């Protein structure tokens, strides 16, 4: 049987019971899982709930996605990647960093 709690992000505290799935899975755990199993979904890794309680904060997820892509993990779905770029660019624009927003949007691949 299970012998430890599910790996939940620090912002959730000790809410998980042994053997019960966590409400969200910790970013650090997901990185280790990706290292051990290349088929781990990157979409779950970069989800804001893996590291913050603010579901609209996509900064760290965007940075992590860029790093893992450079390391050769390129199996994120195109629509999820584009949405992440748009969400992060929108967040940068909302705080007045429109130059960074343009930089982020330049990462969207043109399929045409």
């Amino acid at each position: 049987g299970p012998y430890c709690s599910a790996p939940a992000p620090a912002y959730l505290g000790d809410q998980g019971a042994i053997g019960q799935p966590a409400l969200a899975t910790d970013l650090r755990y997901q990185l280790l899982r990706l290292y051990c199993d290349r088929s781990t979904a990157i979409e779950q890794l970069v989800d804001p709930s893996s590291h913050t309680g603010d579901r609209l904060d996509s900064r760290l997820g965007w940075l992590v996605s860029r790093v893992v892509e450079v390391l050769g993990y390129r199996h994120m779905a195109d629509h999820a990647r584009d949405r992440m770029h748009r969400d992060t660019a929108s967040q940068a624009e909302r705080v007045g960093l429109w130059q960074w927003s343009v930089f982020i949007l330049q990462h969207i691949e043109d399929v045409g």
Side-chain angles (χ1 to χ4, degrees), residues 51-91:
H51 58 277
T52 181
D54 183 0
R55 299 284 297 155
L56 298 177
D57 187 0
S58 58
R59 297 172 296 171
L60 183 60
W62 185 82
L63 182 62
V64 168
S65 75
R66 300 304 307 148
V67 170
V68 297
E69 188 171 325
V70 167
L71 293 174
Y73 299 95
R74 295 184 173 89
H75 56 276
M76 186 174 188
D78 291 336
H79 68 280
R81 184 182 309 110
D82 290 348
R83 179 178 176 207
M84 183 187 53
H85 291 317
R86 288 191 312 268
D87 290 348
T88 308
S90 174
Q91 183 178 1

Side-chain angles (χ1 to χ4, degrees), residues 6 8 13 16 26 28 30 34-35 38 43 46 58 66 69 71 74-76 82 89-90 96-97 109:
D26 186 62
R28 295 165 291 193
Q30 288 294 332
L34 180 65
Y35 177 75
R38 291 187 69 92
E43 295 84 353
V46 301
S58 58
R66 300 304 307 148
E69 188 171 325
L71 293 174
R74 295 184 173 89
H75 56 276
M76 186 174 188
D82 290 348
S90 174
L97 300 172
E109 295 179 18

